[in-house]
Amino acid sequence: MAAGETAAHQDHHRSGDDDVLRVLRTGTAEEHQGLEDTLDLLDPELGRDRLALVLGLMHGFWTAAEAGLDEWAARRPADAGTVDWASRRRAGLFAADLAALGAPVTAAAPALPPVPGTDEALGRLYVLEGSTLGGTFIDRHLAGLPGLAGVRLRAFSPYGPETGAMWAAYRRVTRDHVAAGGDVERILSSARGTFRALAAWCRPAGRIQGVPA
């Protein structure tokens, strides 16, 4: 986070009028943009090979990220139920999309930090769930690419018409958690770390790395 953003963030805390979702949006803006620039999934020349590489890496990342969240859910089942964690898993959808492309599913996955509490879980979920919002645009883009004609992918926008409702539910739970004493700084740190880990793991498929489309 840039120095100016840090100062603004501290001012929000001092004034007492901060909103955790605003803090997350501004506090992860740099990491979020870096990930989008690297993957460039709205590339008009995106082809099946690079898309399959992206999906394979995302499958590995979601597998690892969800394993950590499953461990948290086993320790904090009430919190996991409140955020409806059981309905938010997507690793299997990435595997199904790879099958739809005729691409193999590998077991490779990154080593991610554990999820010790609900603050860290909500930070990780900010990245995983937030990706479904941009996923609707990615789906529309992919549907118009000649090389992907007839291929129906689901992992980018898993909730379909319920995308807005699922995101609103996550936002509500996160705000309620903070109002009840949750730690905004821990949530933000977890979200930033998740963005960085995802970008690092997906870098081999990055457009800016010169990987052919």
Side-chain angles (χ1 to χ4, degrees):
M1 188 185 300
E5 291 174 340
T6 301
H9 188 192
Q10 291 170 344
D11 286 342
H12 279 311
H13 279 289
R14 283 195 291 269
S15 66
D17 65 356
D18 62 292
D19 175 87
V20 60
L21 272 300
R22 186 185 307 114
V23 170
L24 285 167
R25 185 174 62 253
T26 59
T28 62
E30 182 177 345
E31 289 85 355
H32 189 180
Q33 190 61 54
L35 176 63
E36 288 193 356
D37 290 346
T38 296
L39 292 179
D40 191 16
L41 289 173
L42 298 181
D43 174 12
E45 297 182 356
L46 179 68
R48 292 176 73 105
D49 289 347
R50 189 162 77 85
L51 178 59
L53 181 55
V54 170
L55 288 169
L57 291 167
M58 286 187 162
H59 172 261
F61 187 87
W62 255 256
T63 297
E66 290 178 1
L69 288 166
D70 282 341
E71 293 173 1
W72 158 74
R75 295 191 306 272
R76 302 296 298 270
D79 288 353
T82 299
V83 79
D84 195 13
W85 164 235
S87 299
R88 297 182 184 272
R89 291 184 179 86
R90 291 164 67 192
L93 295 180
F94 284 110
D97 285 354
L98 284 165
L101 287 173
V105 177
T106 70
L112 298 179
V115 183
T118 300
D119 294 325
E120 292 81 4
L122 291 173
R124 181 170 292 186
L125 282 168
Y126 176 75
V127 179
L128 304 186
E129 291 299 300
S131 69
T132 65
L133 302 178
T136 60
F137 295 98
I138 293 170
D139 263 1
R140 289 187 205 127
H141 174 65
L142 296 180
L145 295 179
L148 296 173
V151 178
R152 175 69 177 97
L153 304 180
R154 293 186 54 211
F156 288 119
S157 55
Y159 308 132
E162 297 302 313
T163 298
M166 291 293 281
W167 177 243
Y170 164 80
R171 291 173 53 173
R172 182 176 62 253
V173 169
T174 302
R175 287 186 173 121
D176 289 349
H177 174 73
V178 170
D183 190 322
V184 175
E185 295 294 343
R186 286 181 180 272
I187 298 171
L188 175 60
S189 178
S190 175
R192 295 186 74 194
T194 302
F195 264 124
R196 289 193 294 263
L198 178 56
W201 181 250
C202 289
R203 193 162 291 126
R207 176 67 167 169
I208 65 174
Q209 298 298 316
V211 176

